[in-house]
Structure formats: structure tokens, C-alpha cells
Amino acid sequence: MRTSWWNGVFASVLLSTFTFDSQGVYGFFYEPVGVPLAVKSPFLSTWKTGSDGMGRNWPKSGGNLGVTGWAGFARVDGVLYSFLGAAADFSHNPGVWIGNAAQNKGLEITASQTIYTFGCGGMDVKVTFINPIEPSDFTRLSLPLIYVSVTATSNDGATHRVQVYSDLSGEWLSADSGKSMTWSTTKSDKLILHTFSLAEQSQFQATDNRVQYGLGYHAMLPSDGVTYQSGTDIVLRQGFNTGGILNNTADTTFRAINKDWPCFAFAKDLGNITDSSTAPVVFAVGLSRDPAISYMAGGTQQSRSLFYRTQFSTDTDAISFFLNDYELAVSSANNFDSKLNTAASQISGTYADLTFLAARQVASHIEVTVSTGSDGKLNASDIMVFMGNDGVNRMEEIYASAPFWIYVNPEILRLMLLPNIRWQQLSSTNTGYVVDDIGDTYPQASGPRSSLLRPKALESTGNMMIATAALIKATGNAAIVSENADLYKTWADYLKANALIPGTQSTTDGIMSGAPSNDTNLALKGIIALKAYADIISTLGQDGSIYSDTAKSYASQWQSLAEANAGFAASYGDSGSWSICYNLFADKWLKTGLFPESVFQKMGSLYASNINKYGLPLGSRTTLTSPHWMIFAAGVASDITTRNLIISAAQDYIQNGKDDMPWPSIYDSIAGNATVVGVYNRPAVGGVYALLVKELGTTVSTGDSNSDGGSNGSNSRMILQSTNLTVIYILSFISSALLCLV
């Protein structure tokens, strides 16, 4: 089933922040704003945050920063070392930690892996959190599971006895630890599986970005030296501390998450190790639910399941497959990571860091789903992709993250647009424009509610049109427009009527820029989207001149209306203000050719004069910035020096240590900290892939997904396939190097 998502091969340019290790993995080596641990789906999202070491710090949910209890230990020659979680024996010895804190000797973060090396006495213990990103294999992409692998190597040449341990608590299920839970443990010759769930399930309900139904999983393959147990946290951990094993029993007293804290544990005795362990100890961690999505369109509700269920009759079978697939998964992850590094490093080393940190944060926010047919069977041909957690399929998040999806597999972007398009096709509410989202609370795609009260009509319509144009540019397939021709024409007519003079329409950046009247950046989006539509229908053999001519006229008028003392104004007539006008990037990306090079040069000069320590502010009215819009702006800049200054400022933020959360999408460019509550762990950061897709040519069209979850044509997918693009990146790198020498 595994297919390659990139067949192009390029020479790698290695820069200072990353290297090539013995396993062929690329990454950076500092602790960023948030460290991804188990990050695979909107609700399987657990991170390391804060400055405390891993062995004195509970992992946190990417949904609400609540604790997701996870403890990990290594026992070396009878001495216990904590490498994960802040386990303490408060019942008997308040304030006394369980185990010594393992020494953090190294950290490497790649696109799909987080690799810690801990000193545990005479052993170095390597713990790798592997979150597979399989964009061309929908079975593996949709599996809500991650790997944790542990290996041990003697650091003093002596022989040591080693055991390792992992447990999960019910805190993975809910932010309300007073909720009751149930669990079970099953063992066969193929799998040992802990399953745990809330006693009362609330289907399709989520509270504080934490889903309120489904199953938690902790699993291992049976082998010599593996033991397991469920029970009170202190009992399990102190039992392992004492003897290095668990007793293969199950606690049968179901209770609340916080009542004696029931946990679900595994241990593995590695025996005596002189050099290094012969094979990794592999744990699987997961959160799954079925059905996964409630989708309402045209008055008909669908309960949709994750795609992987088309391939497995039970979750037990899926988890067994997942664990047995470990070696292939690691090979695929290394391949994904190194090829991304090859491409991104040709722009700059600091840029590669941004793409690494964004990858799992973006990829984990989607779910690939299928419907159930009239025969009661899952319909693998009816695939839709849904994005959470902040609403369902929000157009601003789709637009911002589109560069990531175009880079890894544009078919995913097409499948993400379909639910929104179908909702609008079947809706009895004819808005005439694209609605902002198709649901307030993930995973309920029941149609827009609150967004209809505060529509960003021009914003969302421009987002849809530009994302569609990017999809067609990448695939050469305009079927999504031809199959929905009336709808797209309606949207184009809305753009034609509203793009030049947006009035008081709301914008994505209103929270930061004060929502000015006639926002120049918003007008840009509408104008470029209008030209993009004209180009699309021209490829379909239709006359797009009325839209093309209008867009060209608007572009010319915009330059006069937005005239300012520096760059272009934040709103028409306010010549003392300026905006970074990041939507200009779409003109370069889509090759709409609306604006002369002098406009881009003018913007580059503005950027160079206004970059703060941690980023480029969105305009003169704010010091706030967004990493994705910054990199869009970097793609607008004509000169490499300015581009690299913007990239470096964005990278300075992710390593400054001022915030304890997954990468926020809004923060202060001067102070270097997030100031808008709750705006973190969003898929919008996929916009940092803008520089990777800026010069991409058309690839062969991707077709419908085949039965094993791959995409027809995926073997033909050529990321960065153009020879000209390779030359551009090489020249860019050489130019940057020469500038550094001056």
C-alpha cells in the first residue's frame, strides 16, 4: 500500500541548524515553543511544553493545554530514571518524585519525529516519538496512532541490566478528570492491548477542544520480557521501580479518571546490555472514535468513519497491522523528513526549521473520512477530508495551509474543499458567497451558524477561489470547477462586484489590525481571486475575458487607491499607514500577472525597514504577526536578503522560550510572546510552505483514491520537479552564502 509522495531527487545543501544522522534523519537540535510528541489527529495531540525537563513535566493536550498523563521510565541496574512525565508519590511521600530525572543529552526534531536522548546512569536511552505523515496513503494517514520507540546503549562500555516502562492515564479522554471511565486489557499471540474510554459517551461532542467519546489505546506486540498491568498509578510505577516488571493483571474496579488515577502500563526487560539493545522497544498510542464526523448537507445527515476502517474489520486488527508495520513506517518517515529537508534547505537552514515544526501541527488537523452506503458498508469511493479543531473546514485555515497540502499531496486539498462545496450546492440558504466554515464545533459539520452572523464573505470567497486555482495549477485538473460551474460562477460574480471596494467587510486579521474600512490586503485577495477564476475557465475553453479585464482594471486602480508614504496603505486613503499585503503572494504563486515588479520591490523595501526581532508585523497599526502570513510576505519580497531576514525572525520566535504551547498563529513581533488567548496549535502554520510551492509547475492530475488509500497518479507526483526550480534554489543558496561573506 505504501506509495512515494516525491520521486524527485536533489542534492542536499546542509546548513548549520541540521545534520544527517546515522539513521538518515534530518532535524534541528533545540527545543522549540512546543515539542510534538503524539500529534496525529485533531484529538490525538499531545505536546511537551515548558522549560522543565521531560522527566519532570507532564505532557499537555494541544487542544486545551490540559495534562495528558503519560509516564516513562528506564530502570538501569535497579535504579529508576524518569524520562517522561512528572510522576510523584503524593499518597505516601508528598513531594517525592518517583525516580531520578533522566539527563537530557540531546533533542532532534524532524518533520515526523521527535528524538530525545537521555542519560540514565551508565546507559543512554533514546526515545523516539514517530508521528507518521503518509500523504499519499490514506489508510496510514487516517490511522489515529503514533509510535514510541526506545533503545538503550551503554555509555561507559560496561554491561548494564535495563528495563523500560510506559503508562497512560484516563486524562487522555477528557479535560474533566471527575468523569467515570471503563477499560479492558486483552492479550493474544498477536497483540497486547489496553483499551480505555469514558463510561458515558457523548457522540460528536467536544468540550474545550477535547472530544467526549471514543477509545484510548496503549499497545505492544507480545515478546519475551514484555509485561503489562492496569491499576492505580502509584502501584504500577512503584511496582516497576521495585522489580522492573509488571504483574500481567487488570484492575477491575472502574472509577473516575482522578479516583486513584487508573493507568494502563507496559514494561519490557531488555536484559543485560553491553553495547546497545538489538531492537527497539515499540509502543503504540492512539485515540479513535467511530463514527468520526457528523456531516449535514441538504438536510441529510451522514455519520462518517475514518478511511482506515475500509481496510480493517476491527481496531484490534488495525493496531496489530500498525505495530507490525513499524520498520516500513520508520523508513517512510525518514524518507519524508530527508526529502523535505533537501528541498527546504535549498532556501535556507532556518527556513527548514519552520517547515519541520509545522508539518505535524498541520497534518494532524485533518481526518480522511468515508460515508456508509445504503448497503450498510463503508463506501471507500466517497472520500471527504475534514479539518478541525477551531470550527470545521474554516476557509481561512484552508487557504493559509494550502501550500502544505499542495506540497505533500494536492488531492488532500481537493477532498477538503468538497464538503464545503457540497454544503453550498445543497444548502437552501443561497448566500451568493462562500461561507466561512461548515460547523462551529469539530467534529460536527452541521453547517455554519455563528459565522453567518459575522460573515467574512469576500475573505472566504477569495480563499476558496485561490485555493481552487492552486489545486488546478498543481494537478492540471479543473474538474472541481467544471463539475460545480454554476457555483463557482456565482462566487466569481460576487468577487467582481465586491473585490475592489470591500467596505467594512470583516477580515482574518481584524483581531490584529482593527478591521479597517476598505482593507487593502482584503481587496488584493478578491482581485487576484477574480483573475484566477478567469484563468481557470479559460483552460476549460470558456471566455473569461470579462473577469480577466475587470481584475486587471481593479489591480491598476488598487495601486492608486492604496498609495501610501511607504509601501501600500492598510486602507484606502490612509497614506500614513501601511500593510504587509501578504495576499500579493497569490499573484506570484498563481502567475496571475496582475502587478508589476515595481509593486513587489516596493513591498520588499517596506519589509526590510519594519522587521522586528521576532517577525514582520502585519501592518503599522499592530505589533502582532502570524508565521504563515510572514512567509507569504517573504514570497512577495524580490530580494533574497529581505526574504531571509523575515525567515530568521520567524525562526527566532520558535526558539526564544517565551511561550509554553504548540506554535501559536498570532504573537507579538517585538515581545516575542503570544498575546491572543487560545490561538495556538492551528493548521494555518502550513502557510510557511509557501516558498516551497511558489515555483511549482503543473504535475499530472491526481485521481480518486484507490482501494489501499493511495492516490492514483501519486507515483507520478514530482515535488520540486522543475529543473529550473532547482537552479533557482541553488542560485538562491549561493547568493545567500555570498551575502553572508560580505
Side-chain angles (χ1 to χ4, degrees):
M1 288 190 287
R2 190 174 304 279
T3 55
S4 172
W5 63 276
W6 178 21
N7 297 322
V9 178
F10 295 91
S12 176
V13 182
L14 304 183
L15 299 179
S16 59
T17 59
F18 45 88
T19 188
F20 187 68
D21 74 13
S22 59
Q23 289 188 334
V25 178
Y26 290 91
F28 60 83
F29 300 94
Y30 53 83
E31 189 165 281
V33 56
V35 180
L37 300 179
V39 180
K40 186 66 190 298
S41 75
F43 300 115
L44 179 56
S45 180
T46 286
W47 300 69
K48 190 268 183 187
T49 63
S51 58
D52 292 335
M54 280 280 283
R56 291 292 182 260
N57 190 339
W58 287 120
K60 303 294 196 304
S61 164
N64 69 346
L65 299 183
V67 168
T68 46
W70 194 358
F73 300 103
R75 188 172 181 270
V76 180
D77 299 329
V79 179
L80 194 68
Y81 298 88
S82 172
F83 60 75
L84 177 61
D89 188 351
F90 290 106
S91 299
H92 304 94
N93 299 292
V96 176
W97 299 105
I98 298 177
N100 303 303
Q103 176 191 3
N104 188 354
K105 299 181 74 172
L107 168 63
E108 180 180 8
I109 294 177
T110 74
S112 60
Q113 302 173 73
T114 296
I115 306 162
Y116 278 97
T117 300
F118 299 103
C120 301
M123 298 297 295
D124 286 345
V125 176
K126 186 175 186 179
V127 182
T128 303
F129 301 86
I130 306 170
N131 302 234
I133 300 174
E134 297 275 7
S136 293
D137 185 329
F138 289 168
T139 298
R140 289 174 171 87
L141 181 64
S142 63
L143 279 167
L145 299 163
I146 66 99
Y147 300 101
V148 182
S149 72
V150 182
T151 58
T153 303
S154 175
N155 59 34
D156 59 7
T159 299
H160 301 279
R161 183 69 180 268
V162 180
Q163 298 93 21
V164 296
Y165 170 101
S166 171
D167 76 41
L168 304 179
S169 81
E171 291 161 294
W172 288 70
L173 300 173
S174 176
D176 182 357
S177 62
K179 289 196 170 185
S180 296
M181 60 183 297
T182 63
W183 57 84
S184 65
T185 301
T186 57
K187 182 180 185 299
S188 70
D189 59 353
K190 295 181 179 179
L191 184 69
I192 309 174
L193 175 63
H194 292 299
T195 303
F196 50 104
S197 62
L198 294 176
E200 295 185 6
Q201 303 268 304
S202 299
Q203 193 175 82
F204 303 128
Q205 299 299 310
T207 303
D208 203 13
N209 287 326
R210 302 286 296 276
V211 73
Q212 299 302 300
Y213 73 108
L215 303 172
Y217 294 122
H218 196 197
M220 288 187 76
L221 296 177
S223 66
D224 292 341
V226 171
T227 54
Y228 60 90
Q229 190 175 347
S230 62
T232 300
D233 58 347
I234 300 300
V235 173
L236 301 182
R237 296 162 188 169
Q238 291 290 29
F240 178 75
N241 185 15
T242 301
I245 61 172
L246 299 170
N247 63 16
N248 296 337
T249 60
D251 186 331
T252 57
T253 305
F254 301 148
R255 53 191 183 272
I257 294 169
N258 61 9
K259 177 64 174 176
D260 295 329
W261 299 102
C263 289
F264 313 98
F266 287 103
K268 168 74 173 181
D269 188 346
L270 299 176
N272 294 318
I273 299 175
T274 301
D275 183 13
S276 63
S277 53
T278 57
V281 179
V282 180
F283 307 92
V285 173
L287 285 175
S288 187
R289 62 195 196 283
D290 189 51
I293 298 286
S294 175
Y295 176 56
M296 178 78 73
T300 301
Q301 189 270 343
Q302 294 180 355
S303 295
R304 299 182 67 89
S305 298
L306 297 179
F307 184 92
Y308 80 87
R309 295 184 182 278
T310 66
Q311 304 296 306
F312 303 102
S313 58
T314 67
D315 273 6
T316 299
D317 291 340
I319 296 167
S320 179
F321 163 81
F322 182 78
L323 282 166
N324 282 289
D325 194 46
Y326 170 76
E327 290 186 4
L328 283 174
V330 170
S331 176
S332 181
N334 290 343
N335 190 44
F336 183 100
D337 296 343
S338 63
K339 287 176 177 176
L340 173 59
N341 175 77
T342 297
S345 67
Q346 289 173 349
I347 296 174
S348 80
T350 50
Y351 178 67
D353 292 5
L354 303 181
T355 65
F356 296 158
L357 188 58
R360 278 175 276 178
Q361 182 164 320
V362 184
S364 66
H365 276 82
I366 67 160
E367 294 186 301
V368 184
T369 72
V370 296
S371 62
T372 299
S374 57
D375 59 359
K377 297 180 181 179
L378 296 179
N379 181 4
S381 66
D382 178 22
I383 304 174
M384 288 184 173
V385 171
F386 293 86
M387 175 185 282
N389 288 14
D390 185 29
V392 185
N393 283 27
R394 291 183 64 189
M395 283 310 308
E396 63 192 72
E397 301 276 8
I398 292 175
Y399 170 65
S401 64
F404 177 82
W405 304 115
I406 292 296
Y407 182 77
V408 300
N409 184 1
E411 173 69 357
I412 294 174
L413 178 59
R414 184 185 74 85
L415 295 170
M416 199 183 305
L417 295 176
L418 287 183
N420 298 54
I421 292 171
R422 185 178 296 178
W423 185 89
Q424 299 227 198
Q425 284 281 30
L426 299 177
S427 173
S428 59
T429 303
N430 183 11
T431 61
Y433 55 81
V434 176
V435 296
D436 300 349
D437 56 52
I438 54 170
D440 283 4
T441 305
Y442 199 83
Q444 292 188 56
S446 51
R449 287 190 174 86
S450 63
S451 63
L452 287 177
L453 303 177
R454 45 168 179 75
K456 297 192 289 289
L458 182 57
E459 182 92 73
S460 294
T461 306
N463 290 339
M464 173 66 82
M465 200 68 78
I466 291 173
T468 300
L471 169 67
I472 294 169
K473 177 177 179 289
T475 64
N477 185 345
I480 193 170
V481 173
S482 61
E483 292 168 0
N484 301 280
D486 291 345
L487 195 58
Y488 272 91
K489 184 181 184 302
T490 297
W491 295 337
D493 289 339
Y494 183 87
L495 293 171
K496 184 171 175 288
N498 294 276
L500 182 61
I501 308 296
T504 58
Q505 289 213 35
S506 298
T507 73
T508 300
D509 305 325
I511 190 173
M512 295 172 276
S513 61
S517 178
N518 289 321
D519 185 297
T520 55
N521 191 42
L522 177 58
L524 271 175
K525 180 177 288 182
I527 294 166
I528 295 168
L530 183 61
K531 178 59 161 61
Y533 174 75
D535 292 346
I536 291 170
I537 63 173
S538 293
T539 65
L540 293 172
Q542 301 172 27
D543 182 6
S545 59
I546 187 172
Y547 299 104
S548 179
D549 291 346
T550 301
K552 290 174 183 177
S553 174
Y554 285 176
S556 177
Q557 294 178 67
W558 180 92
Q559 293 175 65
S560 298
L561 291 168
E563 187 65 34
N565 299 334
F568 292 97
S571 58
Y572 296 160
D574 188 2
S575 60
S577 67
W578 54 265
S579 164
I580 64 170
C581 294
Y582 58 78
N583 284 319
L584 273 169
F585 173 74
D587 187 51
K588 284 200 170 186
W589 185 14
L590 303 180
K591 304 295 185 290
T592 46
L594 288 172
F595 296 93
E597 183 58 30
S598 60
V599 167
F600 297 99
Q601 291 174 350
K602 190 173 184 178
M603 293 310 302
S605 297
L606 175 75
Y607 299 160
S609 302
N610 289 281
I611 299 172
N612 293 325
K613 179 172 177 55
Y614 297 113
L616 179 66
L618 292 169
S620 56
R621 296 167 171 166
T622 183
T623 58
L624 297 180
T625 189
S626 294
H628 40 291
W629 302 144
M630 264 197 288
I631 303 305
F632 271 46
V636 170
S638 298
D639 67 287
I640 294 169
T641 301
T642 301
R643 182 201 70 184
N644 287 349
L645 285 172
I646 296 171
I647 292 169
S648 293
Q651 193 254 4
D652 282 346
Y653 167 75
I654 66 173
Q655 61 176 325
N656 73 18
K658 294 187 177 185
D659 282 321
D660 298 337
M661 62 186 71
W663 199 358
S665 53
I666 302 172
Y667 64 86
D668 192 278
S669 63
I670 296 175
N673 63 289
T675 58
V676 180
V677 176
V679 187
Y680 58 84
N681 190 28
R682 299 284 179 82
V685 297
V688 303
Y689 279 68
L691 301 182
L692 287 173
V693 300
K694 180 180 172 183
E695 301 297 338
L696 280 180
T698 301
T699 66
V700 297
S701 172
T702 54
D704 293 333
S705 296
N706 59 31
S707 60
D708 69 4
S711 176
N712 292 338
S714 62
N715 288 329
S716 302
R717 179 91 181 111
M718 298 283 287
I719 301 296
L720 303 181
Q721 62 185 12
S722 167
T723 301
N724 291 335
L725 181 58
T726 308
V727 172
I728 289 170
Y729 282 152
I730 292 173
L731 291 176
S732 170
F733 171 76
I734 293 171
S735 298
S736 298
L738 290 174
L739 285 170
C740 293
L741 294 174
V742 173

